[in-house]
Amino acid sequence: MSSPEIASLSWGQMKVQGSTKTYKDCKVWPGGSRDWDWRETGTEHSPGVQPADVEEVVEKGVQILVIGRGMSEALKVPPSTVEYLKKKGIDVRVLQTEQAVKEYNALATQGIRVGGVFHSTC
C-alpha cells in the first residue's frame, strides 16, 4: 500500500489524495489519513509533538516520518520525540510545513513507506 500524496496545502487547510475531507492538521500513512486532533494527547505548541502523537503513524510500518512544524514553525518537536522515532528505526525529518509537504510528497512518489504529521497554521 502506498502513501497518499498531499494534494494541496494552504493556511489552515490540507487535502490528501484519496480523501474528500479538508484537514487543519493531519496524520498520513501508507493507505490512509485522518485529522490530527491535538486534544487526544494534550498537545500544545510547546513542548510540542509528543511520542503519543506519532505512535499511530509509526504502527503503520513507516520507514520515514515527516513532521510539519507549521507555516511559521511555532510547533516544537522535543528531543524525546526524535529519540523515540530513532529507537524504532525510523528516519525522522522535522521541517517547516510547506517544506515538509514537499519532502513527504517526493518520498511518497518514490514509493517509500513514508508517514507524516502536519500542522497547517502557525
Side-chain angles (χ1 to χ4, degrees), residues 27 34-44 50 52-54 56:
K27 297 181 179 188
R34 77 168 183 95
D35 277 311
W36 177 16
D37 182 350
W38 292 16
R39 294 171 295 193
E40 291 174 0
T41 56
T43 296
E44 296 180 358
Q50 302 301 303
D53 293 309
V54 298
E56 176 182 13

Side-chain angles (χ1 to χ4, degrees), residues 58-119:
V58 166
E59 288 172 354
K60 305 292 184 183
V62 299
Q63 298 166 290
I64 300 173
L65 182 80
V66 180
I67 300 174
R69 295 187 50 215
M71 300 299 207
S72 303
E73 298 183 88
L75 179 61
K76 299 198 180 326
V77 180
S80 59
T81 300
V82 174
E83 289 300 315
Y84 165 80
L85 292 163
K86 287 184 177 177
K87 283 181 183 170
K88 296 277 186 182
I90 296 167
D91 183 9
V92 60
R93 318 260 170 105
V94 179
L95 301 161
Q96 184 267 357
T97 295
E98 291 162 310
Q99 294 304 312
V101 166
K102 286 179 186 169
E103 178 76 4
Y104 170 89
N105 279 344
L107 293 164
T109 300
Q110 294 171 39
I112 293 169
R113 291 186 59 83
V114 61
V117 294
F118 301 96
H119 178 44

